[in-house]
Amino acid sequence: MTAEAADLEVAKINRFRDPRFRAIGYQVIVILLIAAFVWYVGHNTAINLNKRGISSGFGFLSQPAGFGIGIVLLMDYSSQTSTHFDVLLIGIINTLAVSLAGIFLATLTGFLFGIMRLSSNWMISKIATVYIEVVRNIPLLVQLMFWYFAVLVVLPVVGDSYRLGESFFVNNRGVNFPAMIPTDGFWVLPVSLLVAIVLSIVIARWSRRRQNLTGQLFPVLWTSIGLIIILPIFAAFVMGHPFDMSYPEFGRFSIRGGWSFEPEFLALLFGLSIYTGAFIAEIVRSGINSVSHGQSEAAHSLGLRPGMTTRLVVLPQALRVIVPPLTSQYLNLIKNSSLATAIGYADVTALFAGTSLNQPGQAIEVIFITMLFYLSISLLISMFMNWYNTHIALVER
């Protein structure tokens, strides 16, 4: 063997001993194995479907659904003309409605009871402790059953509804309240609301820079609330009241007009919010405890009241500990909303992965779309919360 051949052989041996080369090689092998497994499963599934005469593809989405839906938000639906794709959209809207409302209420509940548990008042602290320990240790499904069957369904019938004023009714069919019907020029109201939110963000950033330069505080919260309330009202006044009001009225067998929250929606919302809020409360408590007690003592020595100390000193530092596990609770709430099937709420799992799946019988496509929806929503929320966590992270100088 010549010297050049020996050097080449040594180079090959050294290349295989290189950790970077081996790492790339192992990854390529793993990717090829996964691709082969996916191809095998797909090919085997296609053969079995053909043997059983089951068609595949997504053409069923354009077929008429042929069944009714009890809860429909933001869309018109007809069992004769609407398609399975319309069913999918309605399920997604219903799921997002209860999930986003649940996230909002669970966050408020969690922060409130998390702070209450650390209160120096014995009664307030024990109330928060009992709520957290009891709710966290009862399965969510049992709580949903409690809210639906033991609280909402046993309310009075329509004729004996509880009245809150002249236009609010509470009965075993839900909560009825006045509805806002858009007319010409209504678009100005959502635009003005969006402008108010943008202005609030701009004012908050300006206030932060002003505080860093002068040490003076600006009432950002009350200013933002004022903008969000006053600007749409002013826009409605300028446009000459661009909406009509529909008030609920008693009909022969039911209440007509207005809007309503069905008991299925309310039971799911209450269950998800209260259950997830208990876990968020513990996250908030641990986050606050992670902040050195000396921070509070320093704030008190400067004359800050306890409320301002919590809001301006403790919580901003605690958020860096709170946000990562808080993201997991938001994701859990969205996925737990699939338990809506147990109480009859028409979410995407009950409608599309339940009723629609049984119509054309194309289980693979239906389950794939349902999984893709939950995966997409989870990734979007994770991306937003990761961005927010990075935004509030402590920047070292």
Side-chain angles (χ1 to χ4, degrees):
M1 179 182 294
T2 63
E4 293 181 357
D7 293 339
L8 182 61
E9 190 68 22
V10 171
K12 290 181 179 180
I13 295 174
N14 291 334
R15 181 180 300 176
F16 283 107
R17 291 177 178 176
D18 186 353
R20 293 175 299 177
F21 178 82
R22 285 185 298 176
I24 295 174
Y26 292 150
Q27 293 178 48
V28 171
I29 293 173
V30 170
I31 292 174
L32 291 176
L33 290 175
I34 293 175
F37 175 76
V38 172
W39 176 85
Y40 171 76
V41 171
H43 181 68
N44 191 47
T45 302
I47 292 175
N48 290 329
L49 289 176
N50 289 330
K51 287 181 179 180
R52 289 163 175 77
I54 301 176
S55 60
S56 60
F58 297 94
F60 73 96
L61 291 174
S62 60
Q63 298 176 4
F67 59 88
I69 299 177
I71 301 176
V72 180
L73 303 176
L74 304 178
M75 289 182 62
D76 294 326
Y77 179 81
S78 170
S79 60
Q80 303 299 324
T81 59
S82 298
T83 63
H84 289 287
F85 183 73
D86 297 324
V87 174
L88 172 63
L89 292 180
I90 292 171
I92 289 175
I93 292 172
N94 290 353
T95 299
L96 292 178
V98 73
S99 297
L100 296 179
I103 286 174
F104 176 75
L105 293 179
T107 303
L108 290 182
T109 304
F111 272 80
L112 175 62
F113 279 90
I115 295 173
M116 285 174 57
R117 188 166 187 181
L118 296 173
S119 174
S120 57
N121 186 295
W122 184 88
M123 180 64 70
I124 293 177
S125 176
K126 293 306 177 184
I127 290 175
T129 301
V130 170
Y131 159 72
I132 292 170
E133 296 302 328
V134 170
V135 172
R136 286 201 311 161
N137 289 286
I138 298 177
L140 175 57
L141 183 58
V142 175
Q143 296 187 39
L144 294 179
M145 296 291 187
F146 167 79
W147 283 109
Y148 186 67
F149 292 106
V151 177
L152 296 173
V153 173
V154 298
L155 288 172
V157 296
V158 173
D160 299 325
S161 300
Y162 294 130
R163 293 173 177 265
L164 303 176
E166 295 296 327
S167 302
F168 291 84
F169 306 104
V170 180
N171 51 66
N172 62 357
R173 296 189 183 181
V175 178
N176 302 87
F177 53 95
M180 183 183 296
I181 309 301
T183 57
D184 294 338
F186 183 81
W187 61 271
V188 176
L189 271 67
V191 170
S192 62
L193 179 61
L194 181 61
V195 170
I197 293 174
V198 172
L199 287 177
S200 300
I201 296 173
V202 172
I203 291 175
R205 292 183 175 181
W206 168 80
S207 173
R208 192 178 299 112
R209 291 194 298 267
R210 178 174 178 263
Q211 182 180 354
N212 292 335
L213 292 175
T214 65
Q216 297 179 349
L217 295 176
F218 185 81
V220 176
L221 177 62
W222 294 111
T223 303
S224 300
I225 293 175
L227 283 173
I228 291 173
I229 295 176
I230 294 175
L231 198 57
I233 294 176
F234 178 75
F237 177 78
V238 171
M239 295 300 295
H241 200 272
F243 56 86
D244 295 326
M245 297 299 297
S246 173
Y247 295 94
E249 299 176 350
F250 282 99
R252 186 175 180 182
F253 299 106
S254 62
I255 297 178
R256 300 176 181 176
W259 285 333
S260 66
F261 288 140
E262 285 76 6
E264 295 82 7
F265 174 84
L266 293 175
L268 185 61
L269 178 62
F270 292 159
L272 291 175
S273 302
I274 294 175
Y275 180 77
T276 309
F279 288 89
I280 294 177
E282 277 297 275
I283 293 172
V284 171
R285 183 187 66 83
S286 62
I288 292 176
N289 283 336
S290 69
V291 180
S292 173
H293 190 62
Q295 299 284 327
S296 301
E297 294 177 343
H300 293 155
S301 68
L302 294 175
L304 290 179
R305 295 187 297 274
M308 294 186 66
T309 300
T310 301
R311 182 167 57 88
L312 300 177
V313 178
V314 177
L315 278 182
Q317 299 181 71
L319 280 176
R320 301 181 179 98
V321 178
I322 293 173
V323 169
L326 185 64
T327 304
S328 298
Q329 293 304 320
Y330 288 168
L331 300 181
N332 288 338
L333 187 148
I334 293 175
K335 290 178 284 189
N336 287 337
S337 68
S338 60
L339 292 173
T341 307
I343 56 174
Y345 181 71
D347 76 321
V348 68
T349 302
L351 283 180
F352 191 67
T355 310
S356 279
L357 184 149
N358 293 324
Q359 296 284 340
Q362 295 182 232
I364 296 176
E365 292 85 351
V366 171
I367 297 301
F368 172 77
I369 294 174
T370 306
M371 292 171 60
L372 183 63
F373 163 72
Y374 282 109
L375 177 63
S376 301
I377 296 302
S378 297
L379 291 178
L380 287 174
I381 291 181
S382 296
M383 290 171 58
F384 173 77
M385 295 300 291
N386 287 336
W387 168 83
Y388 180 70
N389 189 38
T390 303
H391 179 71
I392 64 173
L394 182 63
V395 179
E396 297 183 359
R397 299 180 179 180

